[in-house]
Amino acid sequence: AEKRQMPQRLRAQNQVLKKGVVDEQANSAALKEQLKMKDQSLRKLQQEMDSLTFRNLQLAKRVELLQDELALSEPRGKKNKKSGESSSQLSQEQKTVFDEDLQKKIEENERLHIQFFEADEQHKHVEAELRSRLATLETEAAQHQAVVDGLTRKYMETIEKLQNDKAKLEVKSQTLEKEAKECRLRTEECQLQLKNLHEDLSGRLEESLSIINEKVPFNDTKYSQYNALNVPLHNRRHQLKMRDIAGQALAFVQDLVTALLNFHTYTEQRIQIFPVDSAIDTISPLNQKFSQYLHENASYVRPLEEGMLHLFESITEDTVTVLETTVKLKTFSEHLTSYICFLRKILPYQLKSLEEECESSLCTSALRARNLELSQDMKKMTAVFEKLQTYIALLALPSTEPDGLLRTNYSSVLTNVGAALHGFHDIMKDISKHYSQKATIEHELPTATQKLITTNDCILSSVVALTNGAGKIASFFSNNLDYFIASLSYGPKAASGFISPLSAECMLQYKKKAAAYMKSLRKPLLESVPYEEALANRRVLLSSTESREGLAQQVQQSLEKISKLEQEKEHWMLEAQLAKIKLEKENQRIADKLKNTSSGQLVGLAQENAAVSNAAGQDEATAKAVSEPIQSTSLIGTLTRTSDSEVPDVESREDLIKNHYMARIVELTSQLQLADSKSVHFYAECRALSKRLALAEKSKEALTEEMKLASQNISRLQDELTTTKRSYEDQLSMMSDHLCSMNETLSKQREEIDTLKMSSKGNSKKNKSR
C-alpha cells in the first residue's frame, strides 16, 4: 500500500512544484513589464528634462541679449543726461527696477540650474542603481530558472525511474505471487502426499512391527558388532572400479620403482668415477661405504612393487574392498618403511659425498652452489617419503588395529596423502632442474670424461623418469580422491562401517559361503513339454482304447527296430570304409603300374576301370539300399526312417528351439538396452530438472534480495525527495521575500519619480509663467 501511495504523493508534490514554478514565471513576467513601463516613463522624463534644458538655454540667451542691450543703453543714457533730467530720473528708476528684477531672475535661474543639475545627477544615480539592480535581478532570475529547470528535470528523471521501478516491481510481484500460488499448491500437494505416506508408512510400520514381534526372534542390525558380520550388497561396479584403479596404481608404482633402481644404480656408478676414478686411483672410504649401501638398493626397492602387486591381486570381483579389508596394504606400508630406513641410512653418506666433491680442486663456485642445492633437495625428498609413509601407515591401521584411526579422519588422511604426493613431485622437479645444471657445468670441465658424461645423462634420465612418475601418481591420486572418500561408506547395511578386521574377515568368509550356496542353487532346468502340448497328449492318451501293455509292446518293438537299424548303419559304415581303403589301394597300384610300364597301360586301365565300375555298382547298390527309407508299421502308425544323409527330426527340433531361444535372447537384450537408454535419459532429465530447480531457488533468493534493495532505494529516494522539497520550499520563500523587497524598492523609486515629475512640472510652469 505504501508503494502504491508513494507515486501518488510524488505526483501531487510535482503538481505543487509546477504551480510554484508557473507562479514565479508569471511574477517575473509582471516585473519585466513593470520595468519596461518604468523605462518608458524615465524616457519621457528625460525628454521633458531635455525640453526644459533647451528652454532654460533660450532664457539664458534672452537674458544675455537684454544685458547687452542694457550695456548699450547705458552710454546713450549718459549722453542724454544733459538733455533732460526728468527722463534720466525715470530711466534711473526703471534701471533700478530692471536690475532688481534681473538680479532676482538670475538668482532664480541659477537656483533652478542648480536644482536641475542636482535632479539630473540624482536621476542618473537612481537610474544606474536601478539598472544594476535590474541586471542582478535578471541574473538571479536566470539562476533561479536554471535551478528550477534542473530540479524539474531531476524530478522528472526520478519520477521516470520510480515509474520504471514500479513497473518492474509490479512484474516481480506478479511473478512472485504466481510462484507463491504454485508453492501453495505444491505445499498442499506435498501435505496430501505426506499425509498419505504417513498413513501408508504407519500401516506398514504396524504390519512390520507385528511381523517382527511374531516372526523375528533376534535383530542382528540393532548392535553394530553383530551388524558388521552381515554380508553387504555386492557392488560389482565398485569392485571393478577399485581393481582398475589398483591396476593403474600398480603400473605407476612399477614405473617409479624402475626409475628409483636406475637412479640408485647410476649414482653408484658415478661415485666410482667422480671425483676420483676407481680404475685409476682408490676412492675415499666414505664413497666406498656409500657405494656398498647403494649396491643393496634392489633389496629395498623391489619389495615396493611386490607389495603393490599383492595388493592388486587381493582386490577381486568377489571381495569387498574397504580399508578394513585391505590387509595387503599393511605389507606395502612395511616395505615402504624399510625403503625409508634405507634412505635415512644413505642420506648422511650422500651429503658427505657432495661435500667431498665441493672440497675437490675441480669444483667451481657454480658447481659448489649446485651441490648445496642438491643436498637440500635430498633432505627434502627423504622428509617427503617419511611423511608419505606416515599417512600410508595410518591408512593401513584399520585393517590391523581398529582403534588406531577413527573413521572421521579417513578423508583428511587421504587429502594429506595427495598433498604429500604433490610435494614429492615438486621436489623431484627441483632435483631434475638442479641436476641438469650440475651436469652441464661438469660437462664443461676440462677433466670431464666420456664415462662421466654418459653416467650423468643416465642419472638425469632416471631423475626425469622419477619426476614424470611422481607427477602421474600425484595427478592420478588427486583425480580419484573424491571417489576414495566416497567409497569409504561402502559397508554393511544400516551401519557406519566395519568394526574390526576380524569382523571384516568373518564377513568375507560368510560372503564366500553365500556365493557357494547361490552357485549350488543355480542348476540347469530340465527340458519340459509345453503345457498346451501336455494337455493335448493327455487327451490323446485318455481317449485311446489301447491298453498300457500294448503300448509298452509297441515301444519295445520300435526300440528293437531302432537298435537293428543302428547295427545295420554301423555295418554299412564299415563297408564304406573298407571300400574307400580298397579304392585307395587300387589307385596306388594303378599309379605304380603307370610308372613301371607304359606299353600295357591301356589293357590294365581297361581291367581296372571294369573293376572300379563293378565296385562302384556295388557301392551304388548299397547306397541305394541304405538311402531307401525303412518303414515299419504298427498300431500307432507308420514309422519312416531315412539314412544318415537326411537331417533327423531331433536335430531339426533342437535347431528350431535353439533358433527360437536365440531370437528371444536378442529381443530381450534389445529391450534391455532400450530400457537402459531410457533410464539414462530419465536420470539425465531428472538431474537437469533438479539443477533447474536449484537455479530457480537461487534466482528467487536473488530476486528477494533485489526487492529488499529496491525497497531501501525507494525509501532513500523518498527521503531525498522530502529534503529537496524542503530546500525548494526554502528557496521559493527566499525568492518571494526578495521579490517583496524588490517591489518595495520599485514602489519607492516610483514615488521618487513622481516627486521628480511633480517638481519638474512645477518648474516648467514657473518658467512658462516667467
Side-chain angles (χ1 to χ4, degrees):
E2 292 179 357
K3 292 178 182 177
R4 292 176 180 174
Q5 290 176 1
M6 189 177 67
Q8 295 176 358
R9 292 176 185 173
L10 291 174
R11 288 174 185 169
Q13 291 173 0
N14 192 10
Q15 290 177 358
V16 172
L17 290 173
K18 284 182 179 179
K19 288 180 180 178
V21 171
V22 170
D23 294 335
E24 286 296 324
Q25 289 177 354
N27 291 327
S28 62
L31 288 172
K32 286 180 181 179
E33 289 178 357
Q34 289 177 3
L35 286 172
K36 287 180 181 178
M37 294 291 288
K38 287 181 179 180
D39 278 334
Q40 290 176 1
S41 62
L42 284 172
R43 287 172 185 172
K44 288 180 181 179
L45 289 172
Q46 187 70 30
Q47 290 176 359
E48 289 178 358
M49 290 293 289
D50 292 336
S51 63
L52 286 172
T53 53
F54 180 72
R55 185 67 177 166
N56 288 327
L57 289 172
Q58 286 180 351
L59 290 171
K61 287 179 180 180
R62 182 76 177 275
V63 170
E64 287 178 356
L65 290 171
L66 289 172
Q67 286 178 355
D68 292 334
E69 290 176 357
L70 182 63
L72 291 172
S73 63
E74 283 181 356
R76 291 176 182 174
K78 288 179 180 180
K79 291 177 179 180
N80 293 321
K81 280 182 180 179
K82 294 177 179 180
S83 61
E85 290 177 356
S86 58
S87 60
S88 63
Q89 289 178 355
L90 290 171
S91 63
Q92 189 69 31
E93 289 176 0
Q94 290 178 359
K95 182 181 178 182
T96 53
V97 171
F98 281 124
D99 286 335
E100 287 176 0
D101 192 9
L102 183 63
Q103 188 68 31
K104 288 179 181 179
K105 285 186 178 181
I106 289 167
E107 288 176 357
E108 188 177 359
N109 195 7
E110 187 178 359
R111 186 174 55 81
L112 286 172
H113 273 290
I114 291 166
Q115 288 179 358
F116 178 74
F117 181 76
E118 288 177 356
D120 191 11
E121 290 292 329
Q122 190 177 2
H123 174 70
K124 288 181 180 179
H125 183 66
V126 170
E127 186 180 2
E129 286 182 355
L130 288 173
R131 287 184 183 279
S132 62
R133 284 185 182 180
L134 181 62
T136 54
L137 288 172
E138 284 179 353
T139 53
E140 288 179 358
Q143 290 177 358
H144 289 306
Q145 186 65 33
V147 171
V148 169
D149 292 337
L151 290 172
T152 53
R153 194 182 304 110
K154 185 178 178 182
Y155 292 147
M156 289 298 290
E157 290 176 356
T158 53
I159 287 165
E160 288 178 359
K161 287 181 181 179
L162 290 172
Q163 286 177 355
N164 294 328
D165 293 336
K166 179 186 175 184
K168 290 179 181 179
L169 290 173
E170 286 178 355
V171 173
K172 288 181 181 178
S173 64
Q174 289 176 1
T175 54
L176 289 172
E177 285 176 358
K178 289 180 181 178
E179 289 180 357
K181 288 180 181 178
E182 291 177 357
C183 291
R184 286 170 189 167
L185 294 173
R186 286 182 184 176
T187 52
E188 290 176 357
E189 291 177 358
C190 291
Q191 285 178 357
L192 291 173
Q193 291 179 0
L194 183 64
K195 187 176 180 180
N196 295 328
L197 287 171
H198 183 68
E199 292 176 356
D200 189 11
L201 290 173
S202 60
R204 289 184 182 181
L205 179 63
E206 291 176 358
E207 185 180 357
S208 60
L209 287 174
S210 62
I211 291 169
I212 288 167
N213 292 326
E214 293 175 1
K215 305 290 183 181
V216 179
F218 175 69
N219 185 13
D220 57 352
T221 60
K222 186 176 182 181
Y223 301 100
S224 58
Q225 292 85 0
Y226 301 137
N227 190 26
L229 299 175
N230 288 328
V231 179
L233 297 174
H234 182 64
N235 193 346
R236 185 172 177 270
R237 186 177 297 173
H238 168 75
Q239 289 301 121
L240 292 175
K241 176 75 173 174
M242 290 301 294
R243 186 168 176 81
D244 184 21
I245 290 171
Q248 294 178 15
L250 175 62
F252 293 142
V253 170
Q254 286 174 351
D255 295 339
L256 196 66
V257 165
T258 305
L260 285 172
L261 287 171
N262 293 332
F263 177 68
H264 293 311
T265 304
Y266 292 132
T267 305
E268 180 187 357
Q269 291 180 9
R270 176 185 162 80
I271 291 166
Q272 299 292 333
I273 296 168
F274 190 80
V276 179
D277 195 352
S278 61
I280 300 170
D281 194 2
T282 57
I283 61 176
S284 64
L286 177 71
N287 284 334
Q288 289 178 2
K289 197 71 174 176
F290 187 32
S291 177
Q292 182 182 353
Y293 286 150
L294 285 174
H295 193 67
E296 300 172 356
N297 68 84
S299 61
Y300 295 100
V301 179
R302 290 288 183 190
L304 293 174
E305 182 180 356
E306 294 176 0
M308 197 66 197
L309 181 61
H310 291 319
L311 180 62
F312 171 70
E313 290 175 351
S314 66
I315 298 172
T316 60
E317 188 180 346
D318 300 329
T319 59
V320 178
T321 304
V322 287
L323 288 177
E324 288 83 357
T325 58
T326 53
V327 184
K328 298 296 181 181
L329 188 61
K330 179 68 176 175
T331 58
F332 179 75
S333 175
E334 291 173 353
H335 294 325
L336 186 59
T337 305
S338 64
Y339 177 67
I340 288 165
C341 293
F342 170 70
L343 288 178
R344 289 174 185 167
K345 184 169 65 173
I346 66 172
L347 180 62
Y349 293 98
Q350 196 165 11
L351 298 178
K352 290 292 183 182
S353 177
L354 290 171
E355 289 178 3
E356 187 176 344
E357 287 184 12
C358 293
E359 291 173 358
S360 65
S361 61
L362 300 173
C363 186
T364 61
S365 60
L367 188 59
R368 191 176 293 108
R370 299 290 86 76
N371 287 333
L372 291 174
E373 289 174 352
L374 278 174
S375 62
Q376 295 296 326
D377 292 338
M378 291 300 171
K379 290 179 184 178
K380 290 179 183 177
M381 187 179 78
T382 307
V384 166
F385 267 109
E386 289 176 353
K387 187 177 179 181
L388 188 62
Q389 188 273 334
T390 302
Y391 291 127
I392 291 175
L394 285 173
L395 290 176
L397 284 176
S399 62
T400 55
E401 298 177 6
D403 298 330
L405 181 65
L406 296 176
R407 191 173 182 83
T408 55
N409 297 326
Y410 286 0
S411 59
S412 61
V413 172
L414 288 168
T415 307
N416 290 325
V417 169
L421 288 172
H422 282 289
F424 176 54
H425 181 227
D426 295 336
I427 290 166
M428 289 312 302
K429 284 195 289 187
D430 293 338
I431 290 173
S432 176
K433 176 184 174 183
H434 296 153
Y435 205 90
S436 63
Q437 295 173 359
K438 174 182 169 65
T440 53
I441 293 169
E442 287 179 352
H443 291 174
E444 293 174 357
L445 293 175
T447 58
T449 60
Q450 186 63 34
K451 192 185 295 184
L452 176 63
I453 293 169
T454 307
T455 306
N456 282 338
D457 291 338
C458 293
I459 292 173
L460 191 59
S461 64
S462 64
V463 169
V464 170
L466 268 174
T467 306
N468 293 331
K472 288 178 182 178
I473 290 175
S475 60
F476 160 74
F477 196 85
S478 61
N479 290 332
N480 293 303
L481 181 61
D482 295 334
Y483 181 74
F484 289 151
I485 294 171
S487 64
L488 296 175
S489 61
Y490 180 56
K493 189 178 180 181
S496 60
F498 299 106
I499 302 301
S500 64
L502 184 61
S503 63
E505 187 177 356
C506 293
M507 183 275 302
L508 291 175
Q509 291 179 1
Y510 295 153
K511 181 177 173 60
K512 289 179 182 178
K513 289 181 180 179
Y517 177 69
M518 295 297 290
K519 190 175 181 180
S520 65
L521 291 177
R522 191 185 296 172
K523 292 180 179 178
L525 296 174
L526 297 175
E527 294 182 359
S528 62
V529 181
Y531 183 69
E532 295 178 355
E533 187 177 351
L535 286 176
N537 293 333
R538 185 171 181 276
R539 289 169 186 166
V540 170
L541 289 172
L542 290 173
S543 63
S544 64
T545 55
E546 296 178 351
S547 63
R548 189 172 181 181
E549 294 178 355
L551 291 172
Q553 288 177 1
Q554 288 182 2
V555 169
Q556 189 68 28
Q557 290 175 3
S558 61
L559 289 173
E560 289 177 358
K561 287 180 181 179
I562 288 167
S563 61
K564 286 180 182 180
L565 289 172
E566 286 179 353
Q567 290 176 2
E568 290 179 357
K569 177 183 175 183
E570 291 176 358
H571 170 70
W572 287 114
M573 285 176 71
L574 291 172
E575 288 291 335
Q577 289 178 0
L578 291 172
K580 283 182 181 180
I581 293 167
K582 286 180 181 180
L583 182 61
E584 288 176 359
K585 286 181 179 180
E586 289 295 329
N587 289 329
Q588 186 67 30
R589 188 169 60 79
I590 290 165
D592 292 337
K593 283 182 179 181
L594 287 172
K595 288 179 182 179
N596 293 328
T597 59
S598 60
S599 61
Q601 186 177 4
L602 295 172
V603 179
L605 284 171
Q607 292 177 358
E608 286 170 2
N609 286 328
V612 170
S613 62
N614 291 328
Q618 291 178 0
D619 293 335
E620 287 177 0
T622 56
K624 286 180 181 178
V626 171
S627 62
E628 288 178 357
I630 302 167
Q631 294 183 356
S632 62
T633 58
S634 62
L635 294 173
I636 296 173
T638 303
L639 179 61
T640 304
R641 180 176 176 82
T642 61
S643 63
D644 292 336
S645 61
E646 296 182 359
V647 181
D649 293 337
V650 178
E651 293 180 358
S652 63
R653 193 185 310 150
E654 289 178 355
D655 291 336
L656 288 172
I657 294 168
K658 183 179 178 181
N659 293 329
H660 172 70
Y661 279 113
M662 288 298 290
R664 185 63 177 162
I665 288 166
V666 169
E667 185 180 357
L668 290 172
T669 52
S670 63
Q671 291 178 1
L672 182 62
Q673 289 176 357
L674 183 62
D676 288 337
S677 63
K678 285 183 178 180
S679 63
V680 170
H681 174 70
F682 290 148
Y683 176 70
E685 191 173 356
C686 291
R687 281 188 68 184
L689 288 172
S690 64
K691 288 181 180 178
R692 286 176 65 185
L693 184 60
L695 290 171
E697 292 292 336
K698 289 181 180 178
S699 64
K700 185 178 178 182
E701 293 175 358
L703 287 172
T704 53
E705 291 178 357
E706 288 180 358
M707 196 169 173
K708 290 179 182 178
L709 291 172
S711 62
Q712 291 176 0
N713 290 327
I714 288 167
S715 62
R716 182 171 57 80
L717 289 171
Q718 284 179 353
D719 296 334
E720 289 180 357
L721 188 62
T722 53
T723 54
T724 51
K725 182 181 176 183
R726 288 175 183 173
S727 64
Y728 189 67
E729 288 176 353
D730 294 335
Q731 290 177 0
L732 287 175
S733 63
M734 290 172 66
M735 288 173 68
S736 62
D737 295 336
H738 190 65
L739 289 171
C740 291
S741 63
M742 286 174 64
N743 289 323
E744 290 176 357
T745 54
L746 288 171
S747 62
K748 289 179 181 179
Q749 288 175 3
R750 285 175 184 172
E751 291 175 357
E752 290 176 357
I753 291 165
D754 292 335
T755 54
L756 288 171
K757 284 182 178 180
M758 294 295 291
S759 63
S760 61
K761 285 180 180 179
N763 291 326
S764 62
K765 287 178 180 180
K766 287 179 181 179
N767 289 326
K768 286 179 180 179
S769 64
R770 286 177 185 176

